[in-house]
Amino acid sequence: MPIDFAAKKALFHLPEGVVYLDGNSLGPMVKAAPARVDHAVQAEWGEMLIRGWNKAGWMAQPAALGNRVGKLIGAAPGTVVLGDTLSIKVYQALASALEMNPKRRVILSDTGNFPSDLYMAEGLCRTLGGQYRLKTVAPEEAMAAIDDTVAVVMLTEVDYRTGRRHDMREITRRSHEMGAITVWDLAHSAGALPVDLAGAGADFAVGCTYKYLNSGPGGPAFIYVAPRHAEVARPALSGWLGHEAPFAFDLSYRPGQGIERMRVGTPPVLQMAALEAAMDVWDGVDLAEVHAQSLRLQDQFIKGVESRAPMLQLATPRSHLMRGSQVSFRHPEGYAIMQALIHEGVIGDFRAPDILRFGFTPLYIDEDDVARAVSVLARIMDYGTWDKPEFKARAAVT
Ligand SMILES: Cc1ncc(COP(=O)(O)O)c(C=O)c1O
């Protein structure tokens, strides 16, 4: 059955008068979240206290939610687990992948990758005594740079700045052909477009749930390990909840079964409650249909902006095959323009040095929202209302 987008939209809380084009950064709240979190606080934490770990199933949540997220990214049951933040999961996946390819010393990534991924790789290289090297190339050159020196290809499928999408299937195929292991960051993919980790033969994948999957600020990250590696991958962050028998309190570490070993410490139970509420909205949603609708909205936006605000320069590829669910435009005064837009109730965000980012999330954004965003942006550009000191003062979070 086709998705009833209007019915889905009614399940989200969107503040009055706001067009929210920033679900690629922080997804809005589903209406059911406050009651679910309140239940977790009052009835579970409040009444059950420590008994909640067993009685309310808190300990099983990371794997149970992993299976629900897994369905959206082409991962078989038992191959995804939730917890920690995405930066931590990047580190975990990369450390395991490097260890599985011991003769090689190069981590290949691209200059469009999210800085935290690159910083984590740099930090890991230093910890490993400087024998490893992080090599970054332009996104367009990533495929050609995969050679037989590369241990791990670590890429974010959809570029957080430009929205440019890598070809996961082809890059994974080429990596394997050259003897490299892949770590895919799905921060801008999970809930945005169809991902087929199993079909692509991906080795490791990581991602967050607070963007397209609406778990709220600080929501847990996820990690995927291909079943063929699950019993081989050694967790570098060998915390007690990844131990084979956490409550045996052994003095030395034995990795847990399969994906369970990628857990580290106590899971964020209250955040997981918010994610559970969001997953009730996401369960069964066909990502191919979501992405197709997102592309229609993106095209409407691009066409409108290019005709009514031609001083903005499109930074996102025109090809549908190379797009995620965001559209970016460049302008030297991008920060001030975005602040003026937000002031008028159209919320996107800004990424240095000059990118205005807009996320198109069809579960709660429709054609009328896009039309309004285009009109407001055109007006701001026509009248130069962005050119005010208050729009130029940079806040800590952009
Ligand atoms: C592609 C990508 N990787 C990693 C991160 C870092 O995630 P976290 O702050 O949850 O560790 C982000 C955050 O936006 C991201 O977009």
Side-chain angles (χ1 to χ4, degrees), residues 87-371:
S87 303
I88 302 279
K89 283 336 205 188
V90 167
Y91 188 94
Q92 260 189 314
L94 184 58
S96 295
L98 281 181
E99 214 175 277
M100 286 165 54
N101 212 352
K103 296 213 174 85
R104 299 189 182 184
R105 293 285 177 268
V106 177
I107 301 162
L108 176 70
S109 192
D110 70 24
T111 52
N113 205 346
F114 192 77
S116 197
D117 296 32
L118 303 177
Y119 303 160
M120 282 292 169
E122 279 178 0
L124 182 56
C125 289
R126 271 197 300 276
T127 302
L128 293 173
Q131 328 145 40
Y132 286 86
R133 182 167 73 91
L134 170 65
K135 177 178 172 183
T136 49
V137 297
E140 302 73 20
E141 285 156 21
M143 178 75 113
I146 306 169
D147 60 24
D148 62 9
T149 66
V150 175
V152 177
V153 176
M154 179 188 79
L155 293 169
T156 294
E157 186 187 14
V158 178
D159 189 308
Y160 76 103
R161 258 190 306 224
T162 62
R164 180 190 183 280
R165 178 184 180 180
H166 279 298
D167 186 336
M168 180 189 287
R169 196 175 283 266
E170 270 307 292
I171 288 182
T172 302
R173 189 196 56 71
R174 173 75 182 155
S175 301
H176 291 167
E177 196 174 83
M178 298 311 288
I181 294 178
T182 52
V183 173
W184 286 103
D185 183 334
L186 304 179
H188 300 269
S189 308
L193 47 90
V195 178
D196 184 8
L197 288 175
D203 300 287
F204 292 86
V206 293
C208 57
T209 59
Y210 51 74
K211 297 180 190 293
Y212 291 96
L213 296 179
N214 315 94
S215 68
F222 63 84
I223 185 166
Y224 163 85
V225 180
R228 64 186 177 282
H229 301 319
E231 303 298 337
V232 181
R234 198 192 65 85
L237 300 174
S238 36
W240 73 302
L241 289 186
H243 191 279
E244 190 181 24
F247 288 87
F249 296 105
D250 285 347
L251 290 186
S252 56
Y253 182 80
R254 272 179 287 125
Q257 295 266 306
I259 195 68
E260 285 284 325
R261 67 181 56 189
M262 290 298 165
R263 291 177 64 168
V264 182
T266 304
V269 172
L270 301 182
Q271 290 280 174
M272 295 217 192
L275 178 57
E276 274 176 359
M279 291 313 293
D280 289 343
V281 172
W282 275 103
D283 279 343
V285 165
D286 175 5
L287 263 303
E289 205 184 330
V290 170
H291 193 223
Q293 176 66 0
S294 169
L295 287 168
R296 277 191 284 277
L297 297 174
Q298 291 174 45
D299 286 345
Q300 180 192 346
F301 186 70
I302 292 171
K303 195 166 163 220
V305 173
E306 289 192 323
S307 71
R308 295 178 61 190
M311 59 297 280
L312 296 174
Q313 190 201 342
L314 184 67
T316 302
R318 287 187 194 276
S319 160
H320 281 183
L321 294 175
M322 290 176 70
R323 276 200 233 156
S325 280
Q326 81 177 56
V327 169
S328 304
F329 282 93
R330 291 184 197 279
H331 191 283
E333 293 292 345
Y335 184 79
I337 296 167
M338 184 52 76
Q339 297 317 303
L341 265 172
I342 293 170
H343 182 73
E344 302 266 340
V346 177
I347 301 183
D349 63 18
F350 172 78
R351 287 295 173 261
D354 57 357
I355 294 269
L356 296 108
R357 292 197 307 182
F358 303 92
F360 295 88
T361 45
L363 293 199
Y364 51 86
I365 291 295
D366 58 27
E367 287 83 355
D368 290 347
D369 296 320
V370 175

Side-chain angles (χ1 to χ4, degrees), residues 27-55:
M29 187 177 84
V30 296
K31 284 182 181 162
R36 177 66 191 91
V37 173
D38 188 56
H39 179 83
V41 171
Q42 309 267 9
E44 297 179 5
W45 177 22
E47 295 301 319
M48 295 177 193
L49 294 163
I50 192 86
R51 294 167 290 184
W53 288 107
N54 291 317
K55 242 177 133 176

